[in-house]
């Protein structure tokens, strides 16, 4: 090992035994390195929005963990067994039975990805004027709730909005906030509560089993449904196993089943926990809601036995379910995120604590206090990290939060973050080292950075396509 001046230094003795990836690499995809000049031009052409970069211009792609996973040989072998029938594909029935086995819901409606399921459930259950409480918003989920005429109400605990709080379950619902809302607007105006595990926008933070159980008891009292965003529920199950009393000895599969058992249905982006590149589903226990969803999916996604997916995609998802609950897999998955996070913590770079399940979140508000929030500190930081090293991250702050549909003003979230998101089974520890070093480099030059102005703003989910210019 050598220090930054190239002087060789001894490696410190380990304080714990390491885990290693429970797989070996069978096929490789070369990465392209670029010059700083090339990247400066690329990010300017992309309007300082990392979503608008060409992936060819990216070195290590930590934009998202969505659909960026590496499938196993077992999943790839399954791809060859795709039954590409328009109706009644055998892969659908396999997916349905694995969903029932691992998640425990009665009925399955496949969709092309998570937002397809969010669209369907929102249109079926929400009436104009309704309120949908949730443990923090997610961009696409809230968009579909609002399009159906609903208003999202944040009922997560206050600690979730504090990047420095080390609460172990920052995804917990604040039961008082939830009950206050029910009393204020009446249970008839609340079709369901939207509960996510782990909470993406809070920094990949888990909900505890105890809290989920309590939400079930409270909603039962009022006859309100719980719709679970199960996108990263396996990662949540791992945190429960590590942190919650009574769950140390339970398997990840058991914990996942128990979590789902307190809810009435789930929307799922298969592109995360399920270790695939495309796919999703809606799962539901209520036969009437299922019948409506099955009818609606035909209009928007495809027949109810494929929902916008090829048979092979459903096969890969079904096999992904078998792999996602394997203990050594999930340990290395979360362990890798933690490894990156711990490095940054050791170097005193401000990050959201505790380290989340799928990403390390940089606290842009704290890193760039001289850039006001309406000059987009997180957007600025993500662009700068890209220029430094070609590592691509994403903004999760005021740009992602969008505008309030009633006032038309920016929503100013307390959390102004850059998400450094780790795809599953794709990168190695050395990639994490390079990433951490780039973040540190930018952190050390932070005082020189200037904010951005938004020069193009799309109407919906603006963070995907907005363009910026240097101030
Ligand atoms: N719910 C959560 C918690 C998500 O993180 C996502 C997607 C969705 C729903 C929507 O699923 O993309 O399959 O339509 N998150 C991606 C991300 C985009 O980068 O975090 P989708």
């Amino acid at each position: 090992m050598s220090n930054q001046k190239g002087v060789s230094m001894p490696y410190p003795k380990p304080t714990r035994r390491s885990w290693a990836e429970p797989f070996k690499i069978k096929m490789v995809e070369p990465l392209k390195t670029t010059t700083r000049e090339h990247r400066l031009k690329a990010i300017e052409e992309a309007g300082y929005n990392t979503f608008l970069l060409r992936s060819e211009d990216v070195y290590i792609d930590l934009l998202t963990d969505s659909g960026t996973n590496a499938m196993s040989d077992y999943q790839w072998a399954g791809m060859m067994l795709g039954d590409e029938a328009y109706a009644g594909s055998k892969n659908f029935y396999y997916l349905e039975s694995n969903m029932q086995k691992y998640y425990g819901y009665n009925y399955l409606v496949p969709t092309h990805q998570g937002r397809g399921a969010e669209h369907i459930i929102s249109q079926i259950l929400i009436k104009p004027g309704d309120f949908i409480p949730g443990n923090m918003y997610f961009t696409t989920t809230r968009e579909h709730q609002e399009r159906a005429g609903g208003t999202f109400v944040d009922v997560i605990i206050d600690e979730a909005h504090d990047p420095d709080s080390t609460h172990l379950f920052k995804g917990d619902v604040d039961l008082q906030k939830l009950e206050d809302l029910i009393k204020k607007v009446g249970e008839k105006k609340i079709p369901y509560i939207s509960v996510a595990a782990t909470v993406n926008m809070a920094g990949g933070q888990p909900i505890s089993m105890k809290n989920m159980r309590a939400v079930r008891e409270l909603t039962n009292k009022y006859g309100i449904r719980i719709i679970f965003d199960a996108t990263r529920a396996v990662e949540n199950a791992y945190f429960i196993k590590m942190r919650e009393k009574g769950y140390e000895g339970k398997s990840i599969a058991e914990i996942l089943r128990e979590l789902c058992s307190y809810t009435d249905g789930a929307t799922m982006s298969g592109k995360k926990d399920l270790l695939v590149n495309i796919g999703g589903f809606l799962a539901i226990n209520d036969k009437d809601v299922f019948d409506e969803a099955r009818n609606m999916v035909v209009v928007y996604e495809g027949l109810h036995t494929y929902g916008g997916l090829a048979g092979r995609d459903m096969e890969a998802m079904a096999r992904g379910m078998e792999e996602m609950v394997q203990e050594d897999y999930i340990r290395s998955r979360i362990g890798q995120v933690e490894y990156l996070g711990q490095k940054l913590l050791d170097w005193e770079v401000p990050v959201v604590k505790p380290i989340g399940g799928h990403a390390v979140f940089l606290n842009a508000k704290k890193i760039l206090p001289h850039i006001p929030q309406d000059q987009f500190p997180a957007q600025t930081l993500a662009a700068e990290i890209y220029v430094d090293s070609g590592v691509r991250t994403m903004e999760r702050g005021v740009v992602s939060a969008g505008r309030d549909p009633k006032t038309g003003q920016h929503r100013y979230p307390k959390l102004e973050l850059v998400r450094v998101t780790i795809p599953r089974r794709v990168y190695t520890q050395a990639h994490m080292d390079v990433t951490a070093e780039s973040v540190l480099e930018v952190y050390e030059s932070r005082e020189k950075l200037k904010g951005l102005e938004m020069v193009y703003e799309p109407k919906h989910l603006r963070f995907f396509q907005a363009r910026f210019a240097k101030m």
Side-chain angles (χ1 to χ4, degrees):
M1 191 169 69
S2 53
N3 70 9
Q4 285 182 337
K5 296 192 178 79
V7 178
S8 85
M9 314 246 294
Y11 284 102
K13 281 204 178 140
T15 50
R16 60 169 177 93
R17 290 295 292 268
S18 294
W19 51 266
E21 287 78 4
F23 51 82
K24 56 186 176 177
I25 297 166
K26 183 156 9 200
M27 187 189 283
V28 297
E29 177 183 338
L31 292 177
K32 198 174 116 186
T33 49
T34 50
T35 61
R36 188 178 175 90
E37 287 65 47
H38 181 91
R39 295 191 295 271
L40 274 169
K41 193 160 161 272
I43 196 74
E44 194 191 340
E45 278 173 12
Y48 297 91
N49 185 346
T50 51
F51 278 103
L52 299 179
L53 287 165
R54 287 169 187 247
S55 115
E56 264 191 335
D57 293 329
V58 171
Y59 173 39
I60 299 174
D61 203 348
L62 308 181
L63 182 74
T64 176
D65 63 328
S66 182
T68 52
N69 308 301
M71 295 207 296
S72 64
D73 51 1
Y74 176 61
Q75 285 174 297
W76 277 109
M79 295 287 275
M80 297 306 290
L81 302 175
D83 172 5
E84 307 306 343
Y86 188 90
S89 158
K90 73 172 186 212
N91 312 114
F92 165 79
Y93 293 105
Y94 180 31
L95 178 65
E96 182 185 55
S97 74
N98 265 2
M99 185 285 290
Q100 289 161 343
K101 177 171 169 194
Y102 290 103
Y103 291 89
Y105 300 106
N106 293 340
Y107 304 108
L108 173 82
V109 180
T111 57
H112 76 287
Q113 55 183 80
R115 68 198 75 179
E118 291 167 353
H119 172 220
I120 289 171
I121 199 69
S122 301
Q123 290 295 329
I124 293 173
L125 295 181
I126 300 172
K127 293 185 304 301
D130 280 352
F131 294 87
I132 304 90
N135 55 347
M136 204 175 270
Y137 84 99
F138 182 71
T139 53
T140 57
T141 321
R142 184 178 63 191
E143 177 82 23
H144 282 296
Q145 291 163 354
E146 288 176 349
R147 281 169 168 268
T151 301
F152 174 81
V153 183
D154 187 4
V155 295
I156 203 165
I157 56 171
D158 288 339
E159 286 86 344
H161 294 279
D162 173 5
D164 294 320
S165 159
T166 53
H167 194 293
L168 290 179
F169 291 102
K170 284 166 102 172
D172 279 0
V173 171
D174 185 323
L175 298 165
Q176 194 58 52
K177 285 186 196 169
L178 178 58
E179 191 148 28
D180 288 350
L181 178 76
I182 300 171
K183 291 208 169 119
K184 190 168 144 214
V185 304
E187 63 267 27
K188 297 234 153 41
K189 284 218 170 291
I190 304 180
Y192 62 89
I193 170 169
S194 180
V195 175
T198 56
V199 182
N200 194 349
M201 303 303 280
Q205 304 294 330
I207 179 171
S208 63
M209 194 69 87
K210 182 165 166 243
N211 186 252
M212 187 64 121
R213 216 177 289 126
V215 172
R216 177 73 290 174
E217 278 163 22
L218 182 63
T219 50
N220 270 350
K221 217 165 87 185
Y222 293 97
I224 296 173
R225 285 193 175 89
I226 303 176
I227 299 295
F228 192 29
D229 183 338
T231 295
R232 296 184 185 84
V234 172
E235 293 171 1
N236 199 113
Y238 181 77
F239 285 119
I240 289 176
K241 185 173 170 125
M242 291 296 121
R243 297 177 183 174
E244 194 163 347
K245 226 172 142 265
Y247 288 91
E248 314 80 3
K250 292 237 158 91
S251 71
I252 294 295
E254 283 170 319
I255 299 172
L256 176 66
R257 272 292 291 248
E258 186 181 339
L259 263 177
C260 296
S261 75
Y262 300 123
T263 71
D264 300 289
T267 55
M268 180 73 196
S269 169
K271 299 169 77 173
K272 286 80 165 177
D273 271 352
L274 302 188
L275 297 161
V276 292
N277 305 117
I278 193 68
F281 60 77
L282 171 68
I284 197 89
N285 286 336
D286 183 317
K287 176 79 166 58
D288 294 336
V289 178
F290 168 64
D291 283 340
E292 263 190 80
R294 192 157 81 140
N295 195 204
M296 226 181 123
V297 79
V298 182
V299 180
Y300 290 101
E301 308 273 321
L303 195 72
H304 59 275
T305 56
Y306 75 84
L309 297 168
R312 55 180 171 266
D313 299 329
M314 293 189 282
E315 184 70 21
M317 276 211 286
R319 291 183 179 217
M321 285 180 190
E322 293 161 19
E323 294 184 344
M324 72 184 179
V325 294
Q326 290 171 11
E327 313 274 327
D328 56 354
Y329 154 70
I330 192 70
R331 186 168 83 132
S332 83
R333 157 58 175 165
I334 308 261
Q336 187 177 44
V337 180
E338 199 188 2
Y339 172 82
L340 174 64
Q342 191 58 48
K343 246 186 175 186
L344 294 173
L345 279 172
D346 290 349
W347 296 343
E348 295 175 3
V349 177
V351 298
V352 174
K353 287 177 269 191
I355 303 301
H358 65 305
V360 177
F361 289 73
L362 311 177
N363 185 352
K365 236 184 210 177
K366 220 176 197 172
I367 296 172
L368 301 173
H370 59 287
I371 301 182
Q373 208 172 2
D374 60 5
Q375 292 175 21
F376 314 112
Q379 192 78 30
T380 306
L381 187 60
E384 206 55 36
I385 292 168
Y386 170 73
V387 170
D388 179 72
S389 57
V391 170
R392 168 154 72 170
T393 60
M394 80 151 83
E395 193 263 10
R396 291 273 89 147
V398 64
V399 184
S400 294
R403 289 182 187 272
D404 186 310
K406 289 208 184 80
T407 65
Q409 298 300 309
H410 288 311
R411 294 189 249 225
Y412 288 103
K414 286 210 182 101
L415 299 176
E416 178 71 24
L417 310 173
V418 168
R419 189 179 73 173
V420 187
T421 336
I422 316 301
R424 298 166 188 77
R425 306 192 293 206
V426 171
Y427 292 111
T428 65
Q429 192 156 310
H431 292 114
M432 297 301 108
D433 291 339
V434 169
T435 300
E437 287 161 22
S438 174
V439 170
L440 180 65
E441 182 92 21
V442 173
Y443 178 62
E444 288 184 337
S445 68
R446 62 195 178 276
E447 281 158 20
K448 289 195 300 231
L449 303 188
K450 293 203 174 67
L452 296 166
E453 66 174 315
M454 203 188 300
V455 294
Y456 166 69
E457 182 176 355
K459 248 196 269 153
H460 313 294
L461 300 173
R462 64 183 184 179
F463 57 96
F464 284 129
Q465 290 148 344
R467 300 184 69 85
F468 302 82
K470 282 215 157 155
M471 298 286 289

